[in-house]
């Protein structure tokens, strides 16, 4: 099934100049960028985005981290896009994320350090990606208005979709 999913390069990825390299990976597998923007998320926006985590111990540092600088958000479309993008992004903890994934290749932080010496800073793991289809629908609505999403055809859609 053709799906849409939401990603955003977190402030660590933007500040490290990784935006182009990250989106190159999505484009290379044939995913279509249907919306994209830079924004500096405020606390209220991050609270809505991570509503499921608000009560967790790690939430305050996550909020500090995500509001510490601009992010680059995008909606990606493709066959099975939600799980495909999670596979490309890799596991939550960069230390254990598989090599070849974005988090495994561009970061090395572990939970112990993020919850200990770096507690105020949050787990810097470069990128967010929706966890499932339901999350993707809600997150796309939260981050993008209808007129910020575009309907067009990629040349290679001919070869990747029927
Ligand atoms: P994201 O939603 O950012 O793509 P994820 O879906 O891989 O990440 P979640 O469980 O949704 O993981 O956690 C949201 C964010 O909260 C993580 O990206 C990370 O920054 C932070 N986080 C999650 N678990 C922990 C933890 N045990 N210690 C510190 N930070 C954590
Ligand atoms: Mg998540």
């Amino acid at each position: 099934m053709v799906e849409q999913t939401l990603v955003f390069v977190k402030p660590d990825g933007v500040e490290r100049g990784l935006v182009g390299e990250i989106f190159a990976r999505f484009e290379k597998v044939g995913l279509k960028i249907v919306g994209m923007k830079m924004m500096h998320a405020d606390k209220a926006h991050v609270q809505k985005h991570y509503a499921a985590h608000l009560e967790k111990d790690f939430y305050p540092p996550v909020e500090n981290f995500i509001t510490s600088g601009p992010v680059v958000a995008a909606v990606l479309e493709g066959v099975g896009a939600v799980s495909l993008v999670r596979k490309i992004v890799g596991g939550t903890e960069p230390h254990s994320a598989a090599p070849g994934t974005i988090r495994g290749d561009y970061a090395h932080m572990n939970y112990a350090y993020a919850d200990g010496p770096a507690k105020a800073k949050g787990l810097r793991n470069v990128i967010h990606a929706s966890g499932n289809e339901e999350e993707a629908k809600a997150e796309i609505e939260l981050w993008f208005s209808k007129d910020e999403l575009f309907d067009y055809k990629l040349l290679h859609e001919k070869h990747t979709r029927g």
Side-chain angles (χ1 to χ4, degrees):
M1 290 294 198
V2 176
E3 299 168 353
Q4 293 187 340
T5 191
L6 181 108
V7 296
F8 63 84
V9 180
K10 296 182 179 181
D12 56 335
V14 173
E15 288 164 15
R16 291 173 56 200
L18 297 174
V19 173
E21 286 183 43
I22 287 169
F23 282 100
R25 290 179 175 220
F26 297 132
E27 288 187 304
K28 264 190 232 171
V29 299
L31 286 161
K32 174 159 62 176
I33 298 168
V34 301
M36 183 177 244
K37 62 181 172 187
M38 178 174 266
M39 64 179 271
H40 196 139
D42 62 19
K43 285 176 191 278
H45 185 82
V46 176
Q47 282 163 15
K48 283 184 201 150
H49 176 78
Y50 283 129
H53 298 310
L54 281 186
E55 304 306 321
K56 297 188 180 148
D57 284 351
F58 64 75
Y59 180 75
V62 168
E63 187 183 273
N64 284 341
F65 167 45
I66 303 298
T67 57
S68 68
V71 303
V72 174
V75 176
L76 301 172
E77 182 185 289
V79 176
V82 177
S83 55
L84 177 68
V85 167
R86 290 286 284 196
K87 181 185 74 170
I88 294 168
V89 162
T92 306
E93 183 194 36
H95 179 81
S96 54
T101 64
I102 293 169
R103 287 167 172 168
D105 283 355
Y106 292 110
H108 74 268
M109 182 67 68
N110 66 14
Y111 286 135
Y113 196 83
D115 294 340
K119 194 159 177 56
K121 295 188 166 179
L123 182 72
R124 281 149 290 168
N125 57 3
V126 184
I127 185 167
H128 162 80
S130 306
N132 54 53
E133 285 181 64
E134 200 187 332
E135 227 178 77
K137 282 199 178 68
E139 291 177 357
I140 290 168
E141 259 192 64
L142 175 65
W143 285 79
F144 285 86
S145 61
K146 289 238 176 321
D147 65 358
E148 291 174 321
L149 299 175
F150 298 87
D151 187 14
Y152 67 99
K153 282 219 180 314
L154 292 173
L155 182 61
H156 67 219
E157 277 180 78
K158 288 200 287 190
H159 306 292
T160 60
R161 288 195 203 168

